[in-house]
Amino acid sequence: MDGENSTRDPVGSGEVGSGGEGAWHPSRKTLLRAALAAGMAAPLGLMGVPALARTLTESGRLPEPTPECDDGDDPTPPQMEGPYFKPNSPRRISLVDSGTPGTRLTVSGYVFGLACRPLANVLLDFWQADVNGAYDNVGFRFRGHQFTDARGAFTLSTIVPGLYPGRTRHLHVKLQAPGRPVLTTQLYFPNEPRNNTDALFDPRLLMSVRDAGGARQAAFDFVLNVPQGPGPSPTGSPTTTPPGGTWVVGTSYPAGARATYGGRGYLCLQNHVAQPGWEPPSVPALWRAE
């Protein structure tokens, strides 16, 4: 989980360690993030707690990772949903078009489990205020969901949200790994004056943000409370064979479709392809019992 911007190096490839002034001790999760970003495979010796740095030491060799895999982090902390969440958001990675007012913002990162391995097919549902601090409660402006890819990565294109009374700038998000509970939380911007007066603000949820030619780029890595045993698989654990019904793994379900599972009917809320772990009772973001 990314924290205060001041504790990270400029490219997010390491952290300031505790072994002396200026000592750099990249964690296994940090090295994994760099490897994923570079599209590289982890060394066999670190399968299950992968590594590979984007930055080499002066000798040209990879620096040794710290012993701990999770940077000492707990899972990403939850926060309240607030009054403006709406289900059935469209599946998309961009919440803006060419005419959308506001400072462009790109948020990217990875979703990890407790063993610091990436989680594929995690549902992320984002919603936020517009440039004036207003939420669209009629349509779906600045609302959308997506899934992490095979590397556990996600990218969101949006704008910097506006302010409204009582709150600092923030983004809302719900995450759900296949077959796991939903995490509802919020992401914050560093150096915002209202961070000091917002009762909900949590510094553990600060994104790393930098300016990029009139736009802004942010990074945040989520850690979900998903147990991960030894082995290279980053996905959730498959569930057992469905106990009867018309729901079938591999089927493409459009919004509005109906299926049965375990003797009960369900209405599909969002377009998706069924997969192990997304059984209708387990994913209220995708299915509603009828």
Side-chain angles (χ1 to χ4, degrees):
M1 179 184 67
D2 282 335
E4 291 283 0
N5 201 27
S6 61
T7 64
R8 305 278 169 168
D9 79 323
V11 294
S13 59
E15 298 175 278
V16 176
S18 58
E21 182 176 343
W24 181 57
H25 298 287
S27 69
R28 292 178 187 265
K29 191 181 72 181
T30 301
L31 296 178
L32 172 58
R33 192 182 200 282
L36 292 170
M40 303 170 69
L44 292 177
L46 288 175
M47 291 298 285
V49 277
L52 268 189
R54 180 163 39 197
T55 304
L56 300 180
T57 63
E58 292 182 1
S59 66
R61 293 179 299 180
L62 293 173
E64 288 296 322
T66 55
E68 294 297 325
C69 172
D70 66 355
D71 300 355
D73 292 339
D74 293 321
T76 302
Q79 288 218 310
M80 65 179 294
E81 179 182 282
Y84 301 123
F85 173 71
K86 289 178 58 177
N88 310 332
S89 70
R91 181 175 180 176
R92 56 189 179 187
I93 64 173
S94 178
L95 307 184
V96 297
D97 55 36
S98 59
T100 303
T103 300
R104 294 297 188 268
L105 172 69
T106 300
V107 183
S108 61
Y110 297 89
V111 181
F112 296 100
L114 294 178
C116 290
R117 294 206 309 277
L119 293 168
N121 302 315
V122 173
L123 172 67
L124 298 99
D125 198 342
F126 292 95
W127 72 102
Q128 67 170 85
D130 64 17
V131 69
N132 298 312
Y135 286 83
D136 180 8
N137 296 317
V138 177
F140 289 93
R141 285 188 309 121
F142 299 110
R143 300 176 184 271
H145 76 274
Q146 60 180 280
F147 297 88
T148 56
D149 64 17
R151 302 172 304 141
F154 70 92
T155 299
L156 176 71
S157 297
T158 183
I159 64 166
V160 176
L163 294 167
Y164 62 90
R167 293 302 316 274
T168 190
R169 297 185 202 277
H170 61 280
L171 305 174
H172 293 271
V173 60
K174 288 179 178 286
L175 300 93
Q176 186 175 31
R180 302 295 299 179
V182 176
L183 168 68
T184 301
T185 193
Q186 302 181 35
L187 300 179
Y188 296 98
F189 295 78
N191 304 317
E192 286 286 333
R194 290 197 188 179
N195 287 351
N196 296 325
T197 59
D198 188 330
L200 294 178
F201 171 73
D202 188 334
R204 296 173 296 175
L205 296 169
L206 277 168
M207 298 181 288
S208 296
V209 182
R210 67 182 183 90
D211 294 329
R216 305 189 80 184
Q217 294 182 346
F220 191 90
D221 294 337
F222 295 94
V223 179
L224 297 185
N225 189 12
V226 175
Q228 295 173 309
S233 174
T235 59
S237 301
T239 57
T240 57
T241 303
T246 61
W247 182 87
V248 177
V249 171
T251 302
S252 179
Y253 289 102
R258 286 177 165 80
T260 58
Y261 183 91
R264 189 168 188 179
Y266 292 87
L267 175 68
C268 179
L269 302 178
Q270 301 178 147
N271 298 343
H272 69 285
V273 176
Q275 56 188 298
W278 294 115
E279 291 81 1
S282 302
V283 280
L286 299 179
W287 294 97
R288 184 180 70 213
E290 295 188 305

